[in-house]
Amino acid sequence: MTTSEEPIRIGLALGGGAVRGTAHIGVLEVLEKAGLEPAILTGTSAGALVGALYAAGLTAAEISAQAHSLRWAKLVRPARTRKALFDTRHLGAYLEELLGGREFTELERPFAAVACDLITGERVVMRDGPVSTAVLASAAIPGVFPPVDRDGRMLVDGGLVDMVPARLARELGADIVVAVDVSGPLPRRPPTTLVHVMVAVSAMQPGGTQRLTEDADLVLAPEVDGYAFWELSRITEFEDAGRAATEQALPLLTALTGTAVARREWERTQSGGSHV
């Protein structure tokens, strides 16, 4: 890589998938070890949470420690409202503390989260204001968690409109876009509760695979279908799946990076050359 140029910017688009989103931690761990840390992050739902923490400066190991220490009974309580089954005020306070009260402008890396406007159905990209409320909005599965009132809009789970925001990473300036899709097929064991059903439905987005192949340079699809979206006890297995998928793709990502460097140098010489 030429020293006169800025390094190639890898954009990492992290998709939704409830607890399956902990596979993103394994992806980040491998990229860190390979010296290919993402310069730009985008995320939806669980991907927004992991992406926000990494953009705030936490390492993959630190995010993993937080994931393994989660106790949902303390963070999510039964709701006293007709809008959702659970109250997320404690979860919001936890996110605010974990993120150090940061706003988007205070993050160490560019980051954006995606939500859906419940009234209009529009895709909403969040890039300013408090990061914690953006993450909460991006992960607000309708009926399970309450909508988040942010900037005068009622926002819910971004997976309804953009499960893996790969194109957004490109728009933020990424030279190479790596998309991580952890939605996968439905779990082999059928859902047994209303919450399980609603979480599973939230991960469905017809046509998403085709869009990803068009928007991303590399699509990682960790093998997460062996376990359900809601299985907190399987975080280790999800992380392992993320590591395995990324390790397998490292040669291709390295080649893509080399090609991006060569293309940038070629474009530089062409723009600086003389034409007859």
Side-chain angles (χ1 to χ4, degrees):
M1 186 177 299
T2 59
T3 57
S4 61
E5 299 284 353
E6 290 293 323
I8 295 300
R9 292 160 62 87
I10 296 175
L12 189 62
L14 304 176
V19 182
R20 286 179 174 180
T22 52
H24 298 318
I25 301 171
V27 173
L28 286 167
E29 180 182 306
V30 174
L31 293 179
E32 281 182 350
K33 290 181 178 178
L36 295 170
E37 297 93 336
I40 293 168
L41 296 113
T42 60
T44 294
S45 198
L49 172 56
V50 175
L53 294 178
Y54 199 76
L58 277 70
T59 65
E62 290 169 335
I63 299 172
S64 178
Q66 289 293 330
H68 284 276
S69 67
L70 281 179
R71 297 295 179 267
W72 284 107
K74 294 183 178 180
L75 298 176
V76 178
R77 309 287 177 83
R80 297 180 180 179
T81 174
R82 296 180 180 180
K83 292 183 178 179
L85 295 174
F86 297 104
D87 186 324
T88 55
R89 283 177 295 180
H90 288 84
L91 177 59
Y94 167 76
L95 290 174
E96 183 73 4
E97 180 181 358
L98 196 57
L99 289 163
R102 287 180 176 84
E103 298 205 352
F104 279 83
T105 55
E106 299 172 305
L107 295 173
E108 296 185 8
R109 295 176 172 87
F111 167 69
V114 175
C116 174
D117 187 312
L118 184 59
I119 306 302
T120 66
E122 294 177 324
R123 172 179 174 268
V124 178
V125 175
M126 296 168 287
R127 290 197 61 197
D128 54 28
V131 180
S132 61
T133 59
V135 171
L136 207 59
S138 185
I141 300 172
V144 179
F145 301 133
V148 174
D149 187 349
R150 194 175 192 273
D151 299 328
R153 308 184 80 162
M154 189 173 290
L155 303 179
V156 293
D157 193 343
L160 297 171
V161 287
D162 195 353
M163 183 64 75
V164 188
R167 182 172 299 178
L168 179 57
R170 185 90 65 193
E171 292 170 356
L172 294 186
D175 298 300
I176 298 170
V177 175
V178 179
V180 187
D181 183 7
V182 294
S183 58
L186 290 178
R188 293 165 187 163
R189 290 183 300 284
T192 58
T193 70
L194 175 61
V195 173
H196 293 172
V197 171
M198 296 171 80
V199 170
V201 170
S202 73
M204 297 179 181
Q205 192 185 71
T209 301
Q210 177 62 34
R211 284 194 295 273
L212 273 186
T213 58
E214 297 171 356
D215 296 341
D217 299 293
L218 174 61
V219 179
L220 303 181
E223 295 185 9
V224 294
D225 59 311
Y227 306 104
F229 297 97
W230 47 83
E231 290 190 271
L232 276 171
S233 62
R234 300 298 185 177
I235 288 177
T236 296
E237 286 86 348
F238 290 143
E239 289 179 334
D240 288 344
R243 290 189 196 96
T246 311
E247 287 170 350
Q248 185 177 19
L250 271 183
L252 178 53
L253 180 55
T254 301
L256 287 170
T257 303
T259 299
V261 171
R263 179 179 295 277
R264 177 185 288 177
E265 179 63 19
W266 182 82
E267 291 174 347
R268 186 186 67 79
T269 58
Q270 292 299 302
S271 63
S274 60
H275 301 278
V276 178

Short mmCIF file of all heavy atoms in Angstrom, two decimals, residues 117-164:
data_model
loop_
_atom_site.label_atom_id
_atom_site.label_comp_id
_atom_site.label_asym_id
_atom_site.label_seq_id
_atom_site.Cartn_x
_atom_site.Cartn_y
_atom_site.Cartn_z
N ASP A 117 -39.67 3.78 10.02
CA ASP A 117 -40.71 4.68 10.52
C ASP A 117 -42.02 3.90 10.55
O ASP A 117 -42.52 3.49 9.50
CB ASP A 117 -40.81 5.91 9.62
CG ASP A 117 -41.75 6.97 10.19
OD1 ASP A 117 -42.88 6.62 10.59
OD2 ASP A 117 -41.37 8.16 10.20
N LEU A 118 -42.57 3.71 11.73
CA LEU A 118 -43.77 2.89 11.88
C LEU A 118 -44.98 3.51 11.19
O LEU A 118 -45.88 2.80 10.77
CB LEU A 118 -44.07 2.67 13.36
CG LEU A 118 -45.22 1.75 13.72
CD1 LEU A 118 -45.00 0.35 13.16
CD2 LEU A 118 -45.42 1.70 15.23
N ILE A 119 -45.00 4.83 11.06
CA ILE A 119 -46.16 5.51 10.47
C ILE A 119 -46.11 5.49 8.95
O ILE A 119 -47.11 5.21 8.29
CB ILE A 119 -46.24 6.98 10.97
CG1 ILE A 119 -46.23 7.02 12.50
CG2 ILE A 119 -47.48 7.66 10.41
CD1 ILE A 119 -47.35 6.24 13.16
N THR A 120 -44.93 5.77 8.40
CA THR A 120 -44.81 5.88 6.94
C THR A 120 -44.23 4.64 6.27
O THR A 120 -44.34 4.48 5.05
CB THR A 120 -43.92 7.08 6.56
OG1 THR A 120 -42.57 6.82 7.02
CG2 THR A 120 -44.43 8.36 7.21
N GLY A 121 -43.57 3.79 7.06
CA GLY A 121 -42.89 2.63 6.49
C GLY A 121 -41.56 2.96 5.85
O GLY A 121 -40.95 2.10 5.23
N GLU A 122 -41.10 4.19 6.02
CA GLU A 122 -39.85 4.61 5.39
C GLU A 122 -38.62 4.08 6.13
O GLU A 122 -38.64 3.88 7.34
CB GLU A 122 -39.77 6.15 5.36
CG GLU A 122 -40.80 6.80 4.46
CD GLU A 122 -40.72 8.32 4.54
OE1 GLU A 122 -40.44 8.86 5.62
OE2 GLU A 122 -40.93 8.95 3.50
N ARG A 123 -37.57 3.88 5.36
CA ARG A 123 -36.26 3.54 5.92
C ARG A 123 -35.65 4.81 6.49
O ARG A 123 -35.59 5.84 5.83
CB ARG A 123 -35.38 2.96 4.81
CG ARG A 123 -33.92 2.72 5.15
CD ARG A 123 -33.26 2.12 3.91
NE ARG A 123 -31.82 1.95 4.03
CZ ARG A 123 -30.94 2.87 3.63
NH1 ARG A 123 -31.37 4.02 3.13
NH2 ARG A 123 -29.65 2.65 3.75
N VAL A 124 -35.18 4.74 7.73
CA VAL A 124 -34.62 5.90 8.41
C VAL A 124 -33.17 5.59 8.77
O VAL A 124 -32.89 4.62 9.49
CB VAL A 124 -35.41 6.25 9.68
CG1 VAL A 124 -34.77 7.44 10.40
CG2 VAL A 124 -36.86 6.57 9.33
N VAL A 125 -32.25 6.41 8.27
CA VAL A 125 -30.84 6.27 8.60
C VAL A 125 -30.50 7.25 9.72
O VAL A 125 -30.76 8.45 9.61
CB VAL A 125 -29.95 6.56 7.37
CG1 VAL A 125 -28.48 6.54 7.75
CG2 VAL A 125 -30.23 5.53 6.27
N MET A 126 -29.93 6.73 10.80
CA MET A 126 -29.60 7.56 11.96
C MET A 126 -28.10 7.75 12.04
O MET A 126 -27.34 6.79 12.16
CB MET A 126 -30.14 6.89 13.23
CG MET A 126 -31.66 6.80 13.24
SD MET A 126 -32.30 5.73 14.55
CE MET A 126 -31.88 4.11 13.91
N ARG A 127 -27.67 9.04 11.98
CA ARG A 127 -26.25 9.36 12.00
C ARG A 127 -25.92 10.53 12.92
O ARG A 127 -24.80 11.02 12.92
CB ARG A 127 -25.76 9.70 10.59
CG ARG A 127 -25.71 8.53 9.63
CD ARG A 127 -24.85 8.89 8.43
NE ARG A 127 -23.49 9.19 8.82
CZ ARG A 127 -22.60 9.84 8.06
NH1 ARG A 127 -22.98 10.30 6.87
NH2 ARG A 127 -21.38 10.07 8.49
N ASP A 128 -26.90 10.98 13.69
CA ASP A 128 -26.63 12.06 14.62
C ASP A 128 -27.46 11.87 15.89
O ASP A 128 -28.33 11.02 15.95
CB ASP A 128 -26.92 13.43 13.98
CG ASP A 128 -28.33 13.53 13.41
OD1 ASP A 128 -29.24 12.84 13.90
OD2 ASP A 128 -28.52 14.30 12.46
N GLY A 129 -27.12 12.66 16.90
CA GLY A 129 -27.81 12.54 18.17
C GLY A 129 -27.27 11.39 19.00
O GLY A 129 -26.23 10.80 18.70
N PRO A 130 -27.98 11.03 20.06
CA PRO A 130 -27.53 9.95 20.96
C PRO A 130 -27.48 8.60 20.24
O PRO A 130 -28.42 8.23 19.54
CB PRO A 130 -28.59 9.94 22.07
CG PRO A 130 -29.27 11.27 21.98
CD PRO A 130 -29.24 11.66 20.53
N VAL A 131 -26.39 7.89 20.43
CA VAL A 131 -26.24 6.59 19.78
C VAL A 131 -27.15 5.55 20.43
O VAL A 131 -27.71 4.68 19.75
CB VAL A 131 -24.77 6.12 19.86
CG1 VAL A 131 -24.60 4.76 19.18
CG2 VAL A 131 -23.85 7.14 19.21
N SER A 132 -27.33 5.63 21.74
CA SER A 132 -28.10 4.61 22.46
C SER A 132 -29.54 4.54 21.97
O SER A 132 -30.09 3.44 21.78
CB SER A 132 -28.07 4.87 23.96
OG SER A 132 -28.64 6.12 24.28
N THR A 133 -30.18 5.68 21.74
CA THR A 133 -31.57 5.64 21.27
C THR A 133 -31.66 5.15 19.84
O THR A 133 -32.66 4.53 19.45
CB THR A 133 -32.23 7.03 21.39
OG1 THR A 133 -31.50 7.98 20.60
CG2 THR A 133 -32.27 7.49 22.84
N ALA A 134 -30.62 5.41 19.04
CA ALA A 134 -30.59 4.90 17.67
C ALA A 134 -30.54 3.38 17.67
O ALA A 134 -31.24 2.71 16.90
CB ALA A 134 -29.40 5.48 16.92
N VAL A 135 -29.70 2.82 18.53
CA VAL A 135 -29.59 1.37 18.62
C VAL A 135 -30.90 0.77 19.11
O VAL A 135 -31.39 -0.24 18.59
CB VAL A 135 -28.44 0.97 19.57
CG1 VAL A 135 -28.45 -0.53 19.84
CG2 VAL A 135 -27.10 1.40 18.99
N LEU A 136 -31.49 1.40 20.12
CA LEU A 136 -32.76 0.92 20.67
C LEU A 136 -33.85 0.93 19.61
O LEU A 136 -34.64 -0.01 19.50
CB LEU A 136 -33.16 1.79 21.86
CG LEU A 136 -34.02 1.15 22.94
CD1 LEU A 136 -33.32 -0.05 23.56
CD2 LEU A 136 -34.36 2.18 24.02
N ALA A 137 -33.88 1.99 18.80
CA ALA A 137 -34.88 2.08 17.74
C ALA A 137 -34.64 1.02 16.67
O ALA A 137 -35.59 0.37 16.21
CB ALA A 137 -34.82 3.47 17.11
N SER A 138 -33.40 0.83 16.27
CA SER A 138 -33.07 -0.14 15.23
C SER A 138 -33.45 -1.55 15.61
O SER A 138 -33.72 -2.38 14.75
CB SER A 138 -31.57 -0.05 14.91
OG SER A 138 -31.23 -0.88 13.83
N ALA A 139 -33.47 -1.83 16.92
CA ALA A 139 -33.74 -3.18 17.41
C ALA A 139 -35.13 -3.35 17.99
O ALA A 139 -35.42 -4.39 18.61
CB ALA A 139 -32.70 -3.56 18.46
N ALA A 140 -36.01 -2.37 17.80
CA ALA A 140 -37.34 -2.41 18.41
C ALA A 140 -38.29 -3.30 17.61
O ALA A 140 -39.09 -2.81 16.79
CB ALA A 140 -37.88 -0.99 18.54
N ILE A 141 -38.22 -4.59 17.84
CA ILE A 141 -39.08 -5.54 17.13
C ILE A 141 -40.53 -5.22 17.45
O ILE A 141 -40.93 -5.21 18.63
CB ILE A 141 -38.77 -6.98 17.56
CG1 ILE A 141 -37.31 -7.33 17.24
CG2 ILE A 141 -39.72 -7.97 16.88
CD1 ILE A 141 -36.87 -8.66 17.81
N PRO A 142 -41.34 -4.92 16.44
CA PRO A 142 -42.73 -4.52 16.69
C PRO A 142 -43.50 -5.57 17.50
O PRO A 142 -43.44 -6.76 17.21
CB PRO A 142 -43.32 -4.39 15.28
CG PRO A 142 -42.15 -4.08 14.42
CD PRO A 142 -41.01 -4.87 15.00
N GLY A 143 -44.16 -5.09 18.52
CA GLY A 143 -44.95 -5.98 19.37
C GLY A 143 -44.16 -6.55 20.52
O GLY A 143 -44.71 -6.81 21.59
N VAL A 144 -42.86 -6.76 20.33
CA VAL A 144 -42.01 -7.28 21.39
C VAL A 144 -41.46 -6.12 22.22
O VAL A 144 -41.58 -6.10 23.45
CB VAL A 144 -40.85 -8.12 20.83
CG1 VAL A 144 -39.95 -8.62 21.95
CG2 VAL A 144 -41.39 -9.29 20.03
N PHE A 145 -40.85 -5.14 21.53
CA PHE A 145 -40.31 -3.96 22.19
C PHE A 145 -41.07 -2.72 21.71
O PHE A 145 -41.52 -2.67 20.56
CB PHE A 145 -38.83 -3.79 21.88
CG PHE A 145 -37.98 -4.95 22.30
CD1 PHE A 145 -37.03 -5.49 21.44
CD2 PHE A 145 -38.13 -5.53 23.55
CE1 PHE A 145 -36.25 -6.57 21.82
CE2 PHE A 145 -37.36 -6.61 23.94
CZ PHE A 145 -36.41 -7.14 23.08
N PRO A 146 -41.22 -1.71 22.55
CA PRO A 146 -41.98 -0.53 22.14
C PRO A 146 -41.26 0.30 21.09
O PRO A 146 -40.02 0.32 21.04
CB PRO A 146 -42.12 0.26 23.46
CG PRO A 146 -40.94 -0.16 24.27
CD PRO A 146 -40.71 -1.60 23.93
N PRO A 147 -42.01 0.99 20.24
CA PRO A 147 -41.38 1.91 19.29
C PRO A 147 -40.61 2.99 20.04
O PRO A 147 -40.90 3.30 21.19
CB PRO A 147 -42.58 2.52 18.54
CG PRO A 147 -43.71 1.57 18.78
CD PRO A 147 -43.47 0.97 20.12
N VAL A 148 -39.62 3.55 19.36
CA VAL A 148 -38.80 4.60 19.97
C VAL A 148 -39.13 5.93 19.31
O VAL A 148 -39.07 6.06 18.09
CB VAL A 148 -37.29 4.29 19.81
CG1 VAL A 148 -36.45 5.45 20.32
CG2 VAL A 148 -36.94 3.02 20.56
N ASP A 149 -39.50 6.90 20.13
CA ASP A 149 -39.78 8.24 19.63
C ASP A 149 -38.47 8.99 19.52
O ASP A 149 -37.85 9.35 20.52
CB ASP A 149 -40.73 8.97 20.59
CG ASP A 149 -41.21 10.31 20.03
OD1 ASP A 149 -40.64 10.76 19.02
OD2 ASP A 149 -42.12 10.91 20.63
N ARG A 150 -38.01 9.20 18.29
CA ARG A 150 -36.72 9.85 18.06
C ARG A 150 -36.86 10.87 16.94
O ARG A 150 -37.31 10.55 15.85
CB ARG A 150 -35.67 8.80 17.69
CG ARG A 150 -34.22 9.30 17.75
CD ARG A 150 -33.27 8.14 17.48
NE ARG A 150 -31.89 8.48 17.80
CZ ARG A 150 -31.05 9.07 16.95
NH1 ARG A 150 -31.47 9.42 15.75
NH2 ARG A 150 -29.81 9.33 17.31
N ASP A 151 -36.50 12.09 17.24
CA ASP A 151 -36.61 13.18 16.26
C ASP A 151 -38.01 13.31 15.70
O ASP A 151 -38.22 13.59 14.51
CB ASP A 151 -35.61 12.97 15.10
CG ASP A 151 -34.16 12.95 15.58
OD1 ASP A 151 -33.86 13.65 16.57
OD2 ASP A 151 -33.35 12.23 14.99
N GLY A 152 -39.01 13.09 16.56
CA GLY A 152 -40.39 13.26 16.15
C GLY A 152 -40.95 12.12 15.31
O GLY A 152 -42.06 12.24 14.78
N ARG A 153 -40.21 11.02 15.19
CA ARG A 153 -40.68 9.88 14.42
C ARG A 153 -40.80 8.66 15.33
O ARG A 153 -40.02 8.49 16.27
CB ARG A 153 -39.72 9.56 13.28
CG ARG A 153 -39.41 10.76 12.41
CD ARG A 153 -38.52 10.41 11.23
NE ARG A 153 -39.28 9.81 10.14
CZ ARG A 153 -38.83 9.74 8.89
NH1 ARG A 153 -37.64 10.20 8.57
NH2 ARG A 153 -39.57 9.19 7.95
N MET A 154 -41.78 7.83 15.06
CA MET A 154 -41.97 6.60 15.82
C MET A 154 -41.24 5.48 15.08
O MET A 154 -41.66 5.04 14.00
CB MET A 154 -43.46 6.28 15.96
CG MET A 154 -43.76 5.14 16.91
SD MET A 154 -45.54 4.92 17.21
CE MET A 154 -45.89 6.39 18.19
N LEU A 155 -40.12 5.01 15.66
CA LEU A 155 -39.23 4.10 14.94
C LEU A 155 -39.27 2.69 15.51
O LEU A 155 -39.38 2.49 16.73
CB LEU A 155 -37.80 4.63 15.00
CG LEU A 155 -37.58 6.04 14.44
CD1 LEU A 155 -36.11 6.44 14.58
CD2 LEU A 155 -38.02 6.13 12.99
N VAL A 156 -39.15 1.71 14.60
CA VAL A 156 -39.10 0.30 14.99
C VAL A 156 -37.97 -0.39 14.22
O VAL A 156 -37.23 0.24 13.45
CB VAL A 156 -40.45 -0.40 14.72
CG1 VAL A 156 -41.52 0.15 15.63
CG2 VAL A 156 -40.85 -0.26 13.25
N ASP A 157 -37.88 -1.68 14.42
CA ASP A 157 -36.80 -2.53 13.88
C ASP A 157 -36.46 -2.24 12.43
O ASP A 157 -37.30 -2.33 11.54
CB ASP A 157 -37.24 -3.98 14.03
CG ASP A 157 -36.10 -4.98 13.82
OD1 ASP A 157 -35.06 -4.58 13.25
OD2 ASP A 157 -36.25 -6.13 14.23
N GLY A 158 -35.18 -1.92 12.19
CA GLY A 158 -34.72 -1.63 10.83
C GLY A 158 -34.75 -2.82 9.90
O GLY A 158 -34.70 -2.66 8.68
N GLY A 159 -34.84 -4.03 10.46
CA GLY A 159 -34.89 -5.22 9.62
C GLY A 159 -36.10 -5.26 8.72
O GLY A 159 -36.12 -5.99 7.72
N LEU A 160 -37.11 -4.47 9.03
CA LEU A 160 -38.30 -4.42 8.18
C LEU A 160 -38.02 -3.77 6.84
O LEU A 160 -38.75 -4.00 5.86
CB LEU A 160 -39.42 -3.64 8.90
CG LEU A 160 -39.94 -4.24 10.21
CD1 LEU A 160 -40.87 -3.26 10.91
CD2 LEU A 160 -40.65 -5.55 9.93
N VAL A 161 -36.98 -2.94 6.77
CA VAL A 161 -36.69 -2.20 5.53
C VAL A 161 -35.29 -2.41 4.98
O VAL A 161 -35.05 -2.19 3.79
CB VAL A 161 -36.91 -0.68 5.76
CG1 VAL A 161 -38.39 -0.37 5.85
CG2 VAL A 161 -36.17 -0.19 7.00
N ASP A 162 -34.35 -2.83 5.83
CA ASP A 162 -32.96 -3.00 5.36
C ASP A 162 -32.23 -3.92 6.35
O ASP A 162 -31.60 -3.45 7.29
CB ASP A 162 -32.27 -1.64 5.29
CG ASP A 162 -30.97 -1.67 4.50
OD1 ASP A 162 -30.54 -2.78 4.11
OD2 ASP A 162 -30.39 -0.60 4.26
N MET A 163 -32.30 -5.22 6.09
CA MET A 163 -31.77 -6.18 7.05
C MET A 163 -30.26 -6.07 7.20
O MET A 163 -29.72 -6.19 8.31
CB MET A 163 -32.15 -7.60 6.61
CG MET A 163 -31.70 -8.68 7.58
SD MET A 163 -32.48 -8.55 9.20
CE MET A 163 -34.12 -9.18 8.81
N VAL A 164 -29.55 -5.85 6.11
CA VAL A 164 -28.08 -5.71 6.15
C VAL A 164 -27.72 -4.46 5.33
O VAL A 164 -27.69 -4.53 4.09
CB VAL A 164 -27.36 -6.95 5.57
CG1 VAL A 164 -25.86 -6.84 5.82
CG2 VAL A 164 -27.92 -8.24 6.17
#
